[in-house]
Amino acid sequence: MLIGPQYMLFAEDTETQSADSTAQEDHTALATWQQTGLPLMQAYCVDCHNKDFQEGGLDLSPFETLDNLSAAEVQRVLEMVQFGAMPPADYDTPEIDERKQLVSALEATLYTSTCDARPKAGKVTVRRLNRAEYNHSIRDLFGLDLRPADAFPSDEVGAGFDNNGDVLSMSPMLIEKYIDAAETVSRQVLVDPDDLPELSRDVPGDQLPIFGKPAIGRFGGRFLAPEEFAWLDLDVPYEGEYRISVRGGTTSKEQPPMHVAIYDAQGVLKAFDQLDYYGGGGSSDSCRETIELTQGSHRLYFVPTDAEADLKVGETKFQQLDALTDEIVKETKAGLGKVNKPDDQIRWQDHPYMFRSLQVSGPRKHPASAYPPAQFQICPHTPPRRDDRYQEVAETAAKNLTPLMRRVFRSPVSDQDVEPYAALVQQATKEGKSFHRGMQIAVSALLVSPRFLFRVETPPSDTEPNEFGDVPLTPHQLATRLSYFLWSSTPDETLLKLADDDQLSVEQLGRQVDRMLKDPKADALASEFASQWLGLRNLTQHEADQERFPSFDDELKSSMARETRTFFLHVLRNNLPVSEFLTADYSFLDQRLAEHYGVNYQGEGFEKVSLSTTPRRGLLAHASILTLTSTPTRTSPVLRGKWILENVLGIKPPDPPAGVPDLDETAAADDNATLREQLELHRQSSTCASCHRVMDQLGFGLDDFDAVGMFRTKDAGKPIDASGALPDGRSFNGGAELGKMLGETETDALARTLVKRMLTFALGRELTPDDRCTVDEIVAKGKQNEYRLADIVSDIATCRQFRLQTITTP
């Protein structure tokens, strides 16, 4: 923080700090600044920024004593010096080491007192689940990837991420969407067994498809000759046991009993049973069998045979299977249901068998696969019935809801918490609804509860803050924060159990990070954190000129984004150094993207592919990044340089001055000018030069890749000039050299940028100067082991800012 009178607006005045020690620290900090930073500022800056001549409205004279300065003023100066925009190129400029010294001195002035005073852990605004978190939570609670939040309004973005509590507002439309989603989800994750599809076919004689020409009885029976048979085509909803009932019999009392053999579509005997004389008139004998059927389409053959026939289930084959051709099937079905004149002279010797009807129903018991994955977790108990009325409904509902609510609310629940939801179930059954429907209503109510929709980190009422106004998160709040950081989803049973037992120590947190990063749910760090850090979400809306780039389509965009996400996860799960983001000579490609890169790859799906013989190195050569930092018609060294500054070096370029025209609106060097030549003309403006000389130089290094990330050697018919320089003056030529140089000397900057972005994402709030020392600690620790990515994740999850929150201002 700042020193001098203004310092007291920012620094913490704790009971442990005396006025004398504070004054001494102020004096020491001022002396250090006047010795290290002020001479450089006086040498290079104050000629243009003083009381008499305030270029850009900036007077630097208060820096002599650090009186009456705000943090914003110091931050502005720091960014301009760090960026390299000041001093302008046509003035005396500091050497590389001098610029670094001035940046260091400004940072010390701005932040050192904060760390010395042990800054507050910070407060996170109560925040609702964003769309990704809602979808992932539903998936992990109920085992179905339903994605209801895709229909919600888009989330606002704050500090670069859409999980920022300060901007996650609640609108009337969103409330309506929550209610609709809750009802839809509850019906999909829990079903009433009585509503499950069943097969129920009762086919009367005149609807029976029969091979041959059966005689027609007066009461709808079909009398079959020995070589004739019936069949049924069935759509079986679930695998299981199905009941088959055959009504019919032999045509005459003088006949011996008949067997009805039931064959499957392959002609294998499934079951058989016996029928006696049908009884005359409209009577019939009947038999029932149960057979196993798999889900899907089936054809069953019902073949009458002599009872003396040697039949063996699973072995006997139906010999007339091939006789039933598709043509006969079509012709037979076309004639079903037509009115036919009964045959008054049916000779039993010619037609010894009669079918009155066939029935197929089932399954007798629905298999587990018929139910949603979480059916028996949500509703393991059902109440007893007496005279078709449910008994002990509230008690049974409470037994079901208590463990469910613990998972949905991400914390323990009391009997008083459960009671109103159990009452909903009881009320539903009183209104004549089923118990399962009542449970659906209760689940809907849970999903619109603030305890599900919001992440609230209010401390218990009896919690006493420490001398700095901080309190630790409760175990369940910490488990929730960790889970939504790594998985963008609700805690699993392992985390909840550790929270129940108050076992989430710092050491245990580290072990849980290791476990959770191995879980596929950690892919969310790529889809949520990395995609927003690197800007990948903008790729879906990006357009490219189809005449210039005919291969650019949605499929290619999808492959581009997936390459970068997969690469990020590879570095994460293998705990590789963050320098890999800049120097990796490999990536993850599918066939489409390999063709785009001109790489010979014959595999399937996304696989690791060597790029060592190509000019591609690290993220800077990913087509996703190169495309995002281009316009629809051409590359943009400005956008590419700005992306490197912000996402690699952690330097935020100043906003452009008002009224500065776009490049396309300025005069061109000539009709055949390259983009570099046009930008040179653009930078002749004094208002543009200071910033663009930094951004453009970085962006030119990637100019050997076109606007959709394909390698090229010419622009406008002229050889590509991909030379450039870093803000400190070091030169390079081409993207490979740029990536190598950044990877060798700017890993510290990349690591700090990554830590700041990831800590912002993990906390769900914008960082403040109080967070600076935590960032410093994580970066310093990471440097000891090459800034390995998984280690950084673990250090963030165990830092003070992550484990504590500020509730009072001492």
Side-chain angles (χ1 to χ4, degrees):
M1 284 301 177
L2 303 179
I3 63 174
Q6 189 69 16
Y7 167 74
M8 297 306 296
L9 295 176
F10 303 99
E12 293 201 59
D13 184 17
T14 69
E15 295 179 0
T16 60
Q17 279 188 307
S18 67
D20 291 341
S21 63
T22 300
Q24 180 61 37
E25 289 173 4
D26 292 353
H27 178 76
T28 301
L30 176 59
T32 300
W33 161 251
Q34 290 178 335
Q35 181 179 358
T36 60
L38 183 60
L40 292 170
M41 181 174 284
Q42 291 173 330
Y44 296 107
C45 307
V46 296
D47 284 351
C48 297
H49 303 284
N50 52 58
K51 289 182 180 179
D52 299 327
F53 189 72
Q54 300 181 19
E55 179 72 24
L58 181 62
D59 176 14
L60 297 181
S61 57
F63 276 86
E64 294 179 6
T65 59
L66 298 181
D67 288 342
N68 301 315
L69 275 176
S70 69
E73 289 176 298
V74 180
Q75 184 67 41
R76 179 187 177 192
V77 174
L78 172 61
E79 288 176 352
M80 293 297 288
V81 175
Q82 190 177 36
F83 176 63
M86 291 292 162
D90 51 351
Y91 284 76
D92 289 340
T93 57
E95 299 294 330
I96 295 173
D97 290 340
E98 290 179 315
R99 187 181 296 275
K100 289 182 177 180
Q101 180 180 331
L102 180 55
V103 167
S104 178
L106 286 167
E107 287 180 331
T109 301
L110 185 61
Y111 296 113
T112 299
S113 295
T114 299
C115 296
D116 290 343
R118 191 176 179 186
K120 296 184 290 291
K123 179 69 174 177
V124 179
T125 304
V126 171
R127 59 194 183 279
R128 63 170 173 81
L129 303 183
N130 65 23
R131 295 198 304 171
E133 291 169 341
Y134 187 102
N135 279 338
H136 293 163
S137 297
I138 293 296
R139 176 199 66 196
D140 296 335
L141 284 169
F142 303 116
L144 289 174
D145 194 9
L146 301 175
R147 305 194 64 80
D150 288 356
F152 295 175
S154 297
D155 295 313
E156 299 89 345
V157 175
F161 298 100
D162 63 5
N163 66 345
N164 187 303
D166 292 331
V167 300
L168 284 170
S169 60
M170 178 74 81
S171 66
M173 176 186 292
L174 183 56
I175 294 174
E176 293 180 6
K177 294 291 186 181
Y178 279 146
I179 295 171
D180 292 342
E183 182 64 18
T184 299
V185 169
S186 69
R187 289 180 177 272
Q188 291 182 284
V189 302
L190 177 66
V191 300
D192 190 331
D194 293 338
D195 293 336
L196 288 175
E198 292 187 350
L199 175 61
S200 182
R201 291 282 303 276
D202 188 352
V203 186
D206 63 346
Q207 294 294 322
L208 277 176
I210 295 175
F211 175 79
K213 296 183 179 181
I216 302 170
R218 288 188 173 277
F219 296 94
R222 292 297 187 263
F223 293 79
L224 281 64
E227 70 279 1
E228 295 175 337
F229 57 88
W231 81 89
L232 287 180
D233 289 327
L234 306 171
D235 287 324
V236 177
Y238 300 106
E239 181 178 1
E241 293 184 344
Y242 286 79
R243 298 173 294 276
I244 297 179
S245 176
V246 182
R247 294 175 62 223
T250 58
T251 308
S252 170
K253 295 179 182 179
E254 287 78 14
Q255 286 180 255
M258 61 180 280
H259 273 159
V260 178
I262 305 172
Y263 295 91
D264 63 16
Q266 287 71 44
V268 178
L269 183 66
K270 301 285 290 185
F272 65 93
D273 208 336
Q274 179 174 298
L275 292 176
D276 293 326
Y277 173 55
Y278 80 96
S283 301
S284 63
D285 192 15
S286 64
C287 65
R288 293 177 178 83
E289 288 292 329
T290 299
I291 65 173
E292 292 276 350
L293 292 175
T294 58
Q295 185 179 27
S297 299
H298 288 267
R299 174 172 291 174
L300 297 179
Y301 299 94
F302 299 84
V303 182
T305 63
D306 190 330
E308 300 298 323
D310 184 19
L311 299 175
K312 293 182 180 180
V313 174
E315 296 183 15
T316 304
K317 295 295 186 68
F318 181 36
Q319 300 302 319
Q320 293 178 266
L321 186 67
D322 295 337
L324 188 65
T325 64
D326 292 342
E327 183 178 351
I328 293 175
V329 170
K330 182 178 179 181
E331 181 181 342
T332 302
K333 288 184 175 181
L336 295 178
K338 292 182 179 179
V339 178
N340 294 293
K341 183 179 179 181
D343 191 337
D344 292 329
Q345 302 295 325
I346 300 176
R347 286 168 47 84
W348 70 266
Q349 296 90 343
D350 298 331
H351 299 84
Y353 312 117
M354 190 272 287
F355 284 151
R356 178 82 65 199
S357 67
L358 300 177
Q359 293 178 322
V360 183
S361 61
R364 293 179 64 179
K365 178 182 179 182
H366 285 92
S369 60
Y371 297 93
Q375 175 86 12
F376 301 108
Q377 293 179 349
I378 300 171
C379 195
H381 307 287
T382 54
R385 291 193 187 192
R386 184 182 304 158
D387 299 328
D388 292 331
R389 296 178 65 86
Y390 291 104
Q391 308 293 316
E392 304 174 11
V393 173
E395 296 86 343
T396 306
K399 287 174 65 177
N400 290 338
L401 289 169
T402 299
L404 174 65
M405 290 174 62
R406 169 178 168 271
R407 293 187 294 114
V408 173
F409 290 170
R410 305 178 285 272
S411 63
V413 292
S414 66
D415 293 343
Q416 290 73 27
D417 293 327
V418 176
E419 184 178 348
Y421 296 96
L424 290 174
V425 184
Q426 187 171 44
Q427 181 62 33
T429 59
K430 287 181 178 180
E431 295 172 355
K433 300 180 177 68
S434 72
F435 178 77
H436 283 84
R437 177 57 190 144
M439 285 294 297
Q440 288 175 341
I441 293 171
V443 171
S444 295
L446 295 178
L447 296 182
V448 294
S449 167
R451 291 183 67 178
F452 169 68
L453 294 175
F454 288 85
R455 294 169 56 191
V456 182
E457 295 175 345
T458 304
S461 58
D462 59 351
T463 302
E464 289 292 332
N466 63 18
E467 58 187 306
F468 306 104
D470 293 341
V471 297
L473 297 176
T474 69
H476 291 88
Q477 291 168 355
L478 186 55
T480 297
R481 188 179 273 198
L482 180 64
S483 183
Y484 281 99
F485 169 32
L486 301 184
W487 289 346
S488 293
S489 185
T490 193
D492 65 357
E493 184 58 33
T494 300
L495 274 179
L496 288 177
K497 183 65 169 60
L498 288 169
D500 291 344
D501 297 338
D502 195 12
Q503 294 295 311
L504 281 176
S505 62
V506 172
E507 183 180 356
Q508 182 63 252
L509 279 175
R511 288 197 290 267
Q512 289 306 304
V513 170
D514 291 342
R515 175 185 71 87
M516 295 170 71
L517 290 181
K518 296 173 184 175
D519 192 291
K521 287 185 284 188
D523 288 0
L525 272 175
S527 61
E528 306 310 318
F529 166 70
S531 290
Q532 294 183 83
W533 166 39
L534 302 174
L536 299 180
R537 289 186 176 181
N538 298 325
L539 195 58
T540 57
Q541 305 300 321
H542 188 86
E543 296 181 356
D545 188 294
Q546 286 299 299
E547 291 187 7
R548 299 187 185 194
F549 312 106
S551 64
F552 189 76
D553 56 18
D554 289 341
E555 180 185 350
L556 184 59
K557 285 193 287 186
S558 177
S559 294
M560 289 177 176
R562 185 173 176 184
E563 175 197 15
T564 305
R565 292 195 303 267
T566 305
F567 177 66
F568 175 86
L569 289 172
H570 172 76
V571 176
L572 174 68
R573 289 202 166 104
N574 289 279
N575 199 19
L576 300 178
V578 298
S579 59
E580 203 80 355
F581 289 132
L582 298 170
T583 61
D585 61 354
Y586 61 87
S587 192
F588 294 82
L589 312 179
D590 61 1
Q591 187 64 43
R592 181 69 190 280
L593 197 56
E595 293 175 0
H596 190 70
Y597 284 180
V599 175
N600 184 21
Y601 165 64
Q602 303 300 325
E604 296 182 4
F606 271 78
E607 294 184 14
K608 186 177 179 181
V609 177
S610 173
L611 300 176
S612 59
T613 60
T614 76
R616 297 184 186 271
R617 296 293 183 272
L619 287 174
L620 298 184
H622 281 210
S624 58
I625 306 302
L626 295 164
T627 301
L628 284 168
T629 53
S630 299
T631 72
T633 58
R634 57 170 174 78
T635 61
S636 174
V638 178
L639 292 179
R640 289 178 174 179
K642 182 174 183 287
W643 190 95
I644 295 171
L645 285 166
E646 292 181 338
N647 294 289
V648 177
L649 302 179
I651 301 173
K652 184 182 182 301
D655 294 329
V660 175
D662 293 336
L663 175 63
D664 292 338
E665 299 174 13
T666 61
D670 60 60
D671 292 340
N672 296 318
T674 65
L675 185 57
R676 178 182 283 266
E677 292 167 340
Q678 289 178 288
L679 284 170
E680 290 289 351
L681 185 65
H682 192 65
R683 287 196 299 276
Q684 290 179 7
S685 167
S686 59
T687 58
C688 304
S690 60
C691 292
H692 276 275
R693 80 164 190 265
V694 178
M695 290 188 294
D696 296 0
Q697 286 294 309
L698 287 170
F700 283 140
L702 301 178
D703 215 31
D704 44 6
F705 299 100
D706 70 12
V708 292
M710 296 181 70
F711 183 73
R712 63 179 183 173
T713 58
K714 291 186 177 182
D715 177 28
K718 298 180 180 179
I720 287 290
D721 179 1
S723 61
L726 294 181
D728 60 15
R730 288 174 294 149
S731 61
F732 53 82
N733 190 359
E737 280 192 17
L738 172 59
K740 182 174 182 292
M741 186 175 293
L742 292 173
E744 290 175 347
T745 65
E746 303 303 322
T747 305
D748 291 351
L750 172 61
R752 177 172 293 276
T753 301
L754 177 62
V755 169
K756 291 170 67 176
R757 298 294 178 88
M758 188 172 284
L759 185 61
T760 301
F761 178 80
L763 298 177
R765 64 169 173 81
E766 190 165 3
L767 298 187
T768 69
D770 285 290
D771 302 311
R772 170 64 183 240
C773 55
T774 296
V775 172
D776 289 345
E777 290 170 2
I778 296 172
V779 170
K781 184 178 178 182
K783 188 171 186 176
Q784 298 173 15
N785 196 25
E786 302 181 282
Y787 301 116
R788 295 185 180 274
L789 184 56
D791 291 345
I792 289 175
V793 173
S794 183
D795 290 340
I796 287 174
T798 54
C799 72
R800 287 185 63 256
Q801 254 60 358
F802 193 84
R803 295 181 291 106
L804 282 73
Q805 63 172 327
T806 302
I807 61 170
T808 63
T809 301

